[in-house]
Each structure stands twice: as structure tokens, then as C-alpha cells.
């Protein structure tokens, strides 16, 4: 958290540190957090599409993937796009190998995470919000009309 503050990253300003190996921060879209992960063998930043409705997650993923070239150009690298059809959520991530058990690697990991969470937010905030405003959903009243959910 100190490293993020020092780098001027406010995304996690209202997030309390915990013992978990990950931190979530709001993206501005319900159920779609930006996440930093400190794993045993890598550091990773990702966008989780984890809304309550599976179909909304898959629709959002498909819209973002259609814009993949522009998103990856803004991010500055090729990302891992996981639709995860067998699961409710989908995930788009970028990782770098690190030996997370080696304490001497932690400062480098923190620099990497700080740099890449900034890039992730810059690449995804606008298109994610744009597509989320257009998520189609069937009207629950049974009329069969399509509504737009934010």
C-alpha cells in the first residue's frame, strides 16, 4: 500500500491491507474489480468479470475481446484473455514470473505491480464502463423486452 501511495496510485486508497495474496479495487463497474495478485511464482494484474449473472460476464468479455487490439495497445503488451466458458466469471490478466518466497524479490515485485496496475486501469476503465452501460438483459416482468443494465 505504501508503494502504491508513493507512486501516486489512488485506486487502492480505500482498500485495507489483509493477509490475502490479492487486492481488489473497484473499476467503476459492479462485479468487475481490478485485482493485483502476489503468487508463489508470479505477480499478476487482472480484470475479473464476476457479476452475478454469467451471461453478463460473457457478454462483457466478448465486447472487450472485440476491442482487444486497442486495449492491448493502451496497456502496452499482450494479455491473457480467459473467457472460462465452464465458469461464471471471465478474466483478463497480465503476469510476470517472480519467486514470491524470496523476500529480496519483493521490492521488484511491488514496482512491477504498481506499474502494471496503472496500465491495466488506463487500458480498461473507459471501455469497461462503456460496455457495462449497454449490457443486454431480459426484462424480469416476463414481457420479453430487453433492458439495458448498468
Amino acid at each position: 500500500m505504501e508503494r502504491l501511495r508513493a507512486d501516486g496510485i489512488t485506486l487502492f486508497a480505500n482498500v485495507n491491507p489483509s493477509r490475502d495474496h490479492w487486492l481488489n479495487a473497484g473499476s467503476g463497474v459492479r462485479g468487475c474489480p481490478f485485482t493485483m495478485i502476489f503468487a508463489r511464482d508470479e505477480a499478476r494484474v487482472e480484470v475479473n468479470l464476476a457479476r452475478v449473472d454469467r451471461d453478463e460476464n460473457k457478454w462483457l468479455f466478448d465486447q472487450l475481446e472485440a476491442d482487444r487490439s486497442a486495449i492491448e495497445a493502451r496497456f502496452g503488451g499482450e494479455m491473457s484473455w480467459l473467457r472460462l466458458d465452464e465458469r461464471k466469471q471471465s478474466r483478463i490478466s497480465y503476469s510476470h514470473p517472480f519467486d514470491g518466497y524470496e523476500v529480496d524479490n519483493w521490492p521488484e515485485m511491488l514496482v512491477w505491480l504498481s506499474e502494471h496496475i496503472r496500465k491495466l486501469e488506463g487500458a480498461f476503465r473507459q471501455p469497461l464502463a462503456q460496455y457495462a452501460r449497454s449490457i443486454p438483459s431480459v426484462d424480469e416482468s416476463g414481457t420479453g423486452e430487453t433492458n439495458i443494465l448498468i
Side-chain angles (χ1 to χ4, degrees), residues 15-16 20 30 45 53 74 79 82 111 118 135 139 146:
V15 176
N16 293 320
D20 294 322
R30 179 179 40 87
V45 294
D53 186 279
R74 281 191 302 275
M79 305 180 83
L82 304 170
V111 168
R118 182 188 312 268
I135 295 173
D139 178 32
T146 300

Side-chain angles (χ1 to χ4, degrees), residues 109-130:
M109 269 177 98
L110 293 174
V111 168
W112 187 92
L113 284 164
S114 179
E115 175 186 344
H116 288 86
I117 198 67
R118 182 188 312 268
K119 289 180 176 185
L120 186 85
E121 180 182 17
F124 280 95
R125 185 167 294 277
Q126 185 276 328
L128 184 59
Q130 173 190 333

Side-chain angles (χ1 to χ4, degrees), residues 46-57:
E46 61 189 34
V47 176
N48 285 301
L49 306 176
R51 294 170 68 90
V52 172
D53 186 279
R54 179 193 180 285
D55 292 336
E56 289 179 11
N57 295 327

Side-chain angles (χ1 to χ4, degrees), residues 59-74:
W59 186 88
L60 269 175
F61 181 91
D62 293 343
Q63 302 312 301
L64 291 166
E65 190 174 39
D67 202 14
R68 181 178 183 162
S69 295
I71 290 170
E72 288 183 340
R74 281 191 302 275

Side-chain angles (χ1 to χ4, degrees), residues 21 37-43 97-102 105 109:
H21 67 284
I37 296 155
F38 326 86
R40 171 182 65 217
D41 55 357
E42 71 178 3
F98 283 100
D99 179 357
Y101 288 136
E102 181 58 53
N105 291 337
M109 269 177 98

